[in-house]
Amino acid sequence: MRNVTVLLAACGALCSVHAAPLEQLSWLSGCWVDPAGEAGSGEQWTTPAAGSMLGMGRTIRGGKLATYEFMRIADGGDGQAVFHAQPAGKPSASFRAIVQSATEVVFENLEHDFPQRVIYRYEAPATLRASIEGQRNGALKRIEFPLVRGACAGAP
């Protein structure tokens, strides 16, 4: 009986990660702003619910919208999270989580032109290091997006 209890406790800890891959990403929820950018530049993510998290990002330069992106992280049904992105009206792309922990997630799609990886690293209490990377013209290219937790615009 003792072995069954230990097995169930271990499975409970492990199975919860596989049953709800998005719950482990709850640190991504909220508003993240670019501390060096113009007001309004950054990302915003909803809390995990119904097997998905919704996000949007925008970059403002000179008071004008430079670029934007609609994003969704969904439960892939196999215990892995999947990142779906549609940047600035371009065709959408999907990336599967290859690394996922309590403070980091790495999504990858080696078939995509650029980027092939989307990375989020959380540094408590209020820093998010987002980046994209991959091969471009035969060389590894990486673009960093340092963000800090901020107030959500329009919130009372």
Side-chain angles (χ1 to χ4, degrees):
M1 185 66 172
R2 182 173 176 262
N3 289 341
V4 171
T5 303
V6 170
L7 182 61
L8 287 173
C11 180
L14 293 173
C15 294
S16 66
V17 170
H18 294 292
L22 301 186
E23 293 303 318
Q24 197 175 31
L25 301 178
S26 62
W27 48 264
L28 188 57
S29 300
C31 294
W32 299 94
V33 298
D34 178 351
E38 289 189 47
S41 291
E43 291 189 7
Q44 183 172 349
W45 285 93
T46 64
T47 57
S52 68
M53 294 176 72
L54 301 178
M56 73 92 184
R58 67 179 170 190
T59 301
I60 299 172
R61 287 189 196 112
K64 296 184 189 241
L65 182 64
T67 189
Y68 64 93
E69 183 170 18
F70 297 110
M71 302 165 288
R72 179 173 58 97
I73 300 174
D75 183 341
D78 58 358
Q80 288 184 304
V82 180
F83 179 85
H84 304 278
Q86 186 164 10
K90 295 178 182 165
S92 63
S94 298
F95 304 78
R96 286 195 150 289
I98 60 166
V99 173
Q100 185 173 336
S101 73
T103 59
E104 175 184 41
V105 63
V106 178
F107 298 101
E108 184 177 74
N109 177 348
L110 297 176
E111 303 300 315
H112 191 254
D113 56 359
F114 183 84
Q116 285 93 41
R117 280 172 297 289
V118 177
I119 303 160
Y120 288 99
R121 289 187 177 102
Y122 175 61
E123 297 173 5
T127 299
L128 183 65
R129 303 224 181 262
S131 61
I132 57 174
E133 66 180 28
Q135 294 292 317
R136 184 175 251 177
N137 300 324
L140 179 65
K141 180 175 182 170
R142 181 179 179 90
I143 302 171
E144 303 270 345
F145 303 96
L147 301 167
V148 295
R149 193 170 295 280
C152 293

